[in-house]
Amino acid sequence: MPAKLQGKVATAPPRPSRTQPVAVAELAAAVDAHLTAPDQAHVQVTGVTLRAQHVRAGDLFAALPGTRAHGADFADRAAAGGAVAVLTDAAGAGRVSGLPVLVHPDPRAVLGALASRVYGDPSARLDVWGVTGTSGKTTTTYMIESALRAAGRATGLIGTVETRIGADRLDSALTTPEAPDLQALLAVMHERGTTDVTMEVSSHALGLGRVGGVGFAVGAFTNLSQDHLDFHPDMEDYFRTKARLFDGRARVEVVCVDGEWAPRLVKEHTVTVATTRDAHWTASDVAVTPTGEQSFTAHGPGGATLDVELRLPGDFNVANALLAIACLHARGVPLDAVRRGLRDVQVPGRMQRVDEGQDFTAVVDYSHKPAAVALALQAVRARTAGRVITVLGCGGDRDAAKRPLMGEEAARRSDVLVVTDDNPRGEDPAEIRAAVLRGALAVPDAERGEVVEIGDRRGAVEHAVSLARAGDVVVVAGKGHETGQEVAGVVHPFSDVEALATAIRETTK
């Protein structure tokens, strides 16, 4: 058995090599916070963090209220590490001694703005391309970044799969980093010569203020479907949170209006894209090759056209490409660079082909919500005359309501569905599988194929591969690019891509 890795430990994020010190009085005034020690108004701040273990000399320590503890309880540790001031609320202020305290009723809401001020407002010196939505964020950011590189721009990328400065890859623990880490990262990117940063903007990032203080050159919206209802009370709240990216913080707003929610985001100057209705950018002549690549013609404002070649299958990737094209065109990126960037883009774990010379198609996809599962399986179904064999599980400690819905969508679109474990986290894996199976087996027999339960994910992948024949498609859904499987608080090394490739080699040798 591979060695077990304990759950993720937050590593200290990168920081710029130097910052211009800012007085605590200036920071307090910038966000209308009360400074408890006016005689220390001159104290100089050179960094910001909300983790006491990451404090450096000269830092402002953000002591935020939490569900289990108050950050102010760690103020002494932060002071010992070199913190020179604390940002907190009234409840936390009484727990801090010996340091000037900036007291604000909602410290999380102003943390981004404070960090931006300390790190020199880095987003004002970069073009930041923000993409939000339920599905397609990762793919769209990769498409935009690929085209920017083709245009000769120096790029950075922040998202679910990775954080990258040029070719230098950093670990990506959160889709969008916490506000002080994000501002420091943007400052590092600028310091290293980056001109453009493409960034996934999650609803958690918007709801928890992680992108506070960031000015966006472009804000883009992909779509909205059920997800994260463990964080949001309902879909309306989920949408309103996503909509914050379009509250004026982005200089250009681009929206895919195919779905029911998106039209509410459209304003007078919004750039729209669609594959199912009229919009500023549309697609025609979509053609799919037997191996899944596709081509289409994009039509835009003023008679602009672009012939697109795309390695990624699925109608949803036509929509993602149109969104990327519209964003890039709005910022003046040459269409020839856009064409080359889209032709060459590859996205880890998103409809990723695994080719070991087998006579069937094997795909790994990150689809982990009902609509994404449906779209991924529709995409592979459209290009095969054979069977669709799907491996699917659901993560624990997340939105439980989507589990039977995912099982239903997969069962309707698969000839064989193998229900397995994803990342059970702190939950009983058997109970998660039971919820997925409940949805799958609720589909009438005549409308679904065979449904099998194999808890061990590697075993489930091996079983799916053993069933595959020439012309079939095996889809391993849910974990995509991930390289670990979290069970009962322990992360075990596991890669769907590696497991699928190994199973194919063992079966076909």
Side-chain angles (χ1 to χ4, degrees), residues 250-255 265-272 280 330:
R251 297 194 292 278
V252 175
E253 297 179 358
V254 185
V255 174
L265 296 174
V266 176
K267 301 189 283 286
E268 181 181 358
H269 299 295
T270 303
V271 179
T272 59
H280 293 118

Side-chain angles (χ1 to χ4, degrees), residues 75-450:
D76 287 346
R77 179 179 177 181
V84 296
V86 175
L87 167 71
T88 191
D89 58 8
R95 310 183 196 194
V96 181
S97 60
L99 294 176
V101 180
L102 286 72
V103 184
H104 192 279
D106 189 357
R108 181 176 283 280
V110 300
L111 179 55
L114 282 178
S116 174
R117 177 67 186 85
V118 170
Y119 291 117
D121 194 13
S123 64
R125 296 175 288 166
L126 297 162
D127 269 6
V128 181
W129 307 66
V131 182
T132 196
T134 304
S135 301
K137 296 188 297 296
T138 299
T139 298
T140 304
T141 55
Y142 270 77
M143 288 175 170
I144 292 171
E145 196 228 7
S146 183
L148 290 169
R149 282 190 283 107
R153 309 289 278 270
T155 62
L157 183 143
I158 302 171
T160 308
V161 176
E162 62 182 342
T163 294
R164 189 161 27 79
I165 305 174
D168 296 335
R169 191 178 188 276
L170 291 70
D171 288 336
S172 188
L174 296 172
T175 297
T176 315
E178 293 284 4
D181 300 343
L182 176 59
Q183 294 293 339
L185 177 60
L186 293 174
V188 170
M189 288 180 168
H190 177 263
E191 190 174 73
R192 296 189 188 178
T194 301
T195 59
D196 296 78
V197 179
T198 59
M199 180 168 67
E200 297 179 48
V201 184
S202 67
S203 64
H204 288 69
L206 290 158
L208 297 174
R210 292 177 189 162
V211 291
V214 177
F216 291 88
V218 178
F221 179 87
T222 59
N223 51 63
L224 195 81
S225 62
Q226 182 173 330
D227 198 18
H228 300 307
L229 295 188
D230 53 331
F231 180 73
H232 301 281
D234 52 40
M235 287 295 293
E236 180 62 30
D237 181 78
Y238 183 31
F239 170 75
R240 286 199 306 268
T241 304
K242 291 284 193 187
R244 294 183 191 178
L245 185 59
F246 306 93
D247 62 5
R249 70 183 77 193
R251 297 194 292 278
V252 175
E253 297 179 358
V254 185
V255 174
C256 178
V257 293
D258 281 327
E260 61 178 306
W261 296 91
R264 293 169 56 180
L265 296 174
V266 176
K267 301 189 283 286
E268 181 181 358
H269 299 295
T270 303
V271 179
T272 59
V273 309
T275 60
T276 60
R277 62 182 71 180
D278 288 337
H280 293 118
W281 283 93
T282 58
S284 70
D285 304 315
V286 179
V288 183
T289 71
T291 55
E293 291 83 5
Q294 53 188 338
S295 62
F296 65 92
T297 300
H299 305 271
T305 61
L306 182 65
D307 291 328
V308 179
E309 299 172 16
L310 201 60
R311 295 180 181 181
L312 303 169
D315 293 344
F316 55 94
N317 276 321
V318 174
N320 291 335
L322 275 178
L323 188 65
I325 293 166
C327 291
L328 292 155
H329 182 263
R331 294 293 295 170
V333 178
L335 286 179
D336 182 63
V338 176
R339 179 187 59 78
R340 287 183 280 117
L342 293 178
R343 181 196 62 201
D344 297 337
V345 70
Q346 299 185 62
V347 188
R350 271 61 176 178
M351 300 302 285
Q352 182 176 347
R353 293 280 299 275
V354 176
D355 189 353
E356 295 290 330
Q358 75 277 10
D359 57 5
F360 58 90
T361 301
V363 176
V364 168
D365 191 62
Y366 191 54
S367 45
H368 59 284
K369 59 210 77 168
V373 169
L375 289 170
L377 296 181
Q378 285 170 199
V380 298
R381 173 69 73 187
R383 70 172 196 263
T384 183
R387 299 173 302 162
V388 175
I389 303 168
T390 305
V391 177
L392 176 73
C394 287
D397 300 332
R398 299 292 188 269
D399 179 9
K402 71 181 181 181
R403 295 169 188 171
L405 300 177
M406 289 174 63
E408 176 186 353
E409 297 289 5
R412 287 188 183 280
R413 293 166 174 82
S414 304
D415 296 285
V416 180
L417 170 61
V418 185
V419 175
T420 189
D421 293 341
D422 190 293
N423 291 310
R425 299 185 177 91
E427 290 194 60
D428 180 351
E431 292 184 4
I432 299 173
R433 296 196 304 272
V436 179
L437 286 164
R438 194 160 54 246
L441 296 175
V443 178
D445 291 352
E447 299 175 22
R448 63 170 167 82
E450 180 184 1

